[in-house]
Short mmCIF file of all heavy atoms in Angstrom, two decimals:
data_model
loop_
_atom_site.label_atom_id
_atom_site.label_comp_id
_atom_site.label_asym_id
_atom_site.label_seq_id
_atom_site.Cartn_x
_atom_site.Cartn_y
_atom_site.Cartn_z
N ARG A 83 171.80 63.58 70.76
CA ARG A 83 170.58 64.34 71.06
C ARG A 83 170.73 65.81 70.68
O ARG A 83 169.82 66.42 70.14
CB ARG A 83 170.21 64.20 72.53
CG ARG A 83 169.66 62.82 72.88
CD ARG A 83 169.01 62.76 74.24
NE ARG A 83 169.54 63.69 75.21
CZ ARG A 83 170.09 63.37 76.37
NH1 ARG A 83 170.21 62.11 76.71
NH2 ARG A 83 170.54 64.29 77.19
N VAL A 84 171.89 66.38 70.98
CA VAL A 84 172.14 67.78 70.63
C VAL A 84 172.10 67.97 69.12
O VAL A 84 171.50 68.92 68.61
CB VAL A 84 173.50 68.27 71.22
CG1 VAL A 84 173.91 69.60 70.61
CG2 VAL A 84 173.43 68.35 72.73
N GLU A 85 172.74 67.06 68.37
CA GLU A 85 172.74 67.15 66.92
C GLU A 85 171.32 67.05 66.37
O GLU A 85 170.92 67.82 65.49
CB GLU A 85 173.62 66.06 66.32
CG GLU A 85 173.74 66.16 64.82
CD GLU A 85 174.68 65.12 64.24
OE1 GLU A 85 175.13 64.22 64.98
OE2 GLU A 85 174.98 65.22 63.05
N GLU A 86 170.54 66.09 66.87
CA GLU A 86 169.16 65.94 66.40
C GLU A 86 168.33 67.19 66.69
O GLU A 86 167.59 67.66 65.83
CB GLU A 86 168.50 64.72 67.06
CG GLU A 86 169.00 63.40 66.54
CD GLU A 86 168.42 62.21 67.31
OE1 GLU A 86 167.62 62.42 68.25
OE2 GLU A 86 168.78 61.07 66.96
N GLU A 87 168.46 67.72 67.90
CA GLU A 87 167.71 68.92 68.27
C GLU A 87 168.14 70.12 67.42
O GLU A 87 167.31 70.89 66.94
CB GLU A 87 167.90 69.24 69.75
CG GLU A 87 167.11 70.46 70.20
CD GLU A 87 167.30 70.77 71.67
OE1 GLU A 87 167.55 69.84 72.46
OE2 GLU A 87 167.17 71.95 72.02
N SER A 88 169.44 70.27 67.21
CA SER A 88 169.94 71.38 66.39
C SER A 88 169.44 71.29 64.96
O SER A 88 169.00 72.28 64.38
CB SER A 88 171.47 71.39 66.39
OG SER A 88 171.96 71.62 67.68
N ASN A 89 169.49 70.08 64.38
CA ASN A 89 169.01 69.90 63.02
C ASN A 89 167.52 70.21 62.90
O ASN A 89 167.08 70.83 61.93
CB ASN A 89 169.30 68.48 62.53
CG ASN A 89 170.76 68.25 62.27
OD1 ASN A 89 171.53 69.19 62.06
ND2 ASN A 89 171.18 67.00 62.30
N GLU A 90 166.75 69.79 63.89
CA GLU A 90 165.30 70.07 63.87
C GLU A 90 165.03 71.57 63.95
O GLU A 90 164.19 72.11 63.25
CB GLU A 90 164.60 69.34 65.02
CG GLU A 90 163.10 69.57 65.06
CD GLU A 90 162.37 69.17 63.77
OE1 GLU A 90 162.82 68.23 63.09
OE2 GLU A 90 161.37 69.82 63.44
N ARG A 91 165.77 72.27 64.78
CA ARG A 91 165.59 73.72 64.91
C ARG A 91 165.96 74.44 63.60
O ARG A 91 165.29 75.39 63.21
CB ARG A 91 166.42 74.27 66.06
CG ARG A 91 165.85 73.89 67.39
CD ARG A 91 166.65 74.45 68.51
NE ARG A 91 166.02 74.07 69.77
CZ ARG A 91 166.31 74.62 70.91
NH1 ARG A 91 167.21 75.57 70.98
NH2 ARG A 91 165.70 74.22 72.00
N VAL A 92 167.00 73.97 62.94
CA VAL A 92 167.39 74.56 61.66
C VAL A 92 166.28 74.33 60.64
O VAL A 92 165.91 75.24 59.89
CB VAL A 92 168.74 73.98 61.17
CG1 VAL A 92 169.00 74.37 59.72
CG2 VAL A 92 169.88 74.46 62.06
N ARG A 93 165.73 73.12 60.62
CA ARG A 93 164.61 72.83 59.68
C ARG A 93 163.42 73.75 59.93
O ARG A 93 162.73 74.13 59.00
CB ARG A 93 164.18 71.37 59.80
CG ARG A 93 165.08 70.40 59.06
CD ARG A 93 164.46 69.02 58.98
NE ARG A 93 164.55 68.28 60.23
CZ ARG A 93 165.61 67.61 60.65
NH1 ARG A 93 166.68 67.56 59.91
NH2 ARG A 93 165.60 66.97 61.80
N ARG A 94 163.19 74.10 61.19
CA ARG A 94 162.07 75.00 61.54
C ARG A 94 162.45 76.47 61.33
O ARG A 94 161.60 77.35 61.50
CB ARG A 94 161.65 74.78 62.98
CG ARG A 94 160.98 73.43 63.22
CD ARG A 94 160.33 73.34 64.59
NE ARG A 94 161.18 73.73 65.68
CZ ARG A 94 161.69 72.90 66.61
NH1 ARG A 94 161.43 71.62 66.55
NH2 ARG A 94 162.45 73.36 67.58
N GLY A 95 163.72 76.74 61.04
CA GLY A 95 164.16 78.12 60.79
C GLY A 95 164.40 78.92 62.05
O GLY A 95 164.41 80.14 62.03
N GLU A 96 164.63 78.23 63.18
CA GLU A 96 164.88 78.93 64.45
C GLU A 96 166.33 79.36 64.57
O GLU A 96 167.23 78.69 64.06
CB GLU A 96 164.55 78.02 65.64
CG GLU A 96 163.09 77.67 65.76
CD GLU A 96 162.84 76.77 66.97
OE1 GLU A 96 163.70 76.67 67.86
OE2 GLU A 96 161.77 76.16 66.98
N ARG A 97 166.54 80.46 65.27
CA ARG A 97 167.90 80.89 65.59
C ARG A 97 168.39 80.10 66.79
O ARG A 97 167.62 79.77 67.69
CB ARG A 97 167.91 82.37 65.98
CG ARG A 97 167.64 83.29 64.82
CD ARG A 97 167.50 84.71 65.24
NE ARG A 97 168.71 85.19 65.87
CZ ARG A 97 168.82 86.34 66.49
NH1 ARG A 97 167.78 87.15 66.57
NH2 ARG A 97 169.94 86.72 67.03
N PRO A 98 169.69 79.80 66.85
CA PRO A 98 170.23 79.12 68.02
C PRO A 98 170.00 79.95 69.28
O PRO A 98 170.06 81.18 69.24
CB PRO A 98 171.73 79.01 67.71
CG PRO A 98 171.81 79.12 66.23
CD PRO A 98 170.67 80.02 65.82
N LYS A 99 169.71 79.30 70.41
CA LYS A 99 169.44 79.99 71.67
C LYS A 99 170.53 81.00 72.01
O LYS A 99 170.24 82.09 72.47
CB LYS A 99 169.28 79.00 72.82
CG LYS A 99 167.98 78.26 72.82
CD LYS A 99 167.92 77.35 74.02
CE LYS A 99 166.62 76.55 73.99
NZ LYS A 99 166.54 75.62 75.13
N ALA A 100 171.79 80.63 71.81
CA ALA A 100 172.90 81.51 72.16
C ALA A 100 172.89 82.80 71.35
O ALA A 100 173.50 83.78 71.73
CB ALA A 100 174.22 80.79 71.95
N LEU A 101 172.18 82.83 70.23
CA LEU A 101 172.20 84.01 69.37
C LEU A 101 170.90 84.82 69.46
O LEU A 101 170.76 85.82 68.80
CB LEU A 101 172.42 83.60 67.92
CG LEU A 101 173.73 82.85 67.67
CD1 LEU A 101 173.82 82.45 66.21
CD2 LEU A 101 174.91 83.70 68.06
N ARG A 102 169.96 84.35 70.25
CA ARG A 102 168.70 85.10 70.38
C ARG A 102 168.93 86.32 71.24
O ARG A 102 169.75 86.33 72.12
CB ARG A 102 167.62 84.23 71.02
CG ARG A 102 167.21 83.09 70.13
CD ARG A 102 166.15 82.27 70.80
NE ARG A 102 165.96 81.07 70.02
CZ ARG A 102 165.38 79.98 70.46
NH1 ARG A 102 164.93 79.93 71.69
NH2 ARG A 102 165.24 78.94 69.70
#
Side-chain angles (χ1 to χ4, degrees):
R83 287 192 332 239
V84 167
E85 184 177 9
E86 287 175 0
E87 182 180 331
S88 296
N89 288 338
E90 180 57 31
R91 287 181 179 195
V92 168
R93 280 191 284 278
R94 291 191 309 250
E96 293 180 16
R97 290 173 61 189
K99 285 182 182 178
L101 300 178
R102 293 180 190 162

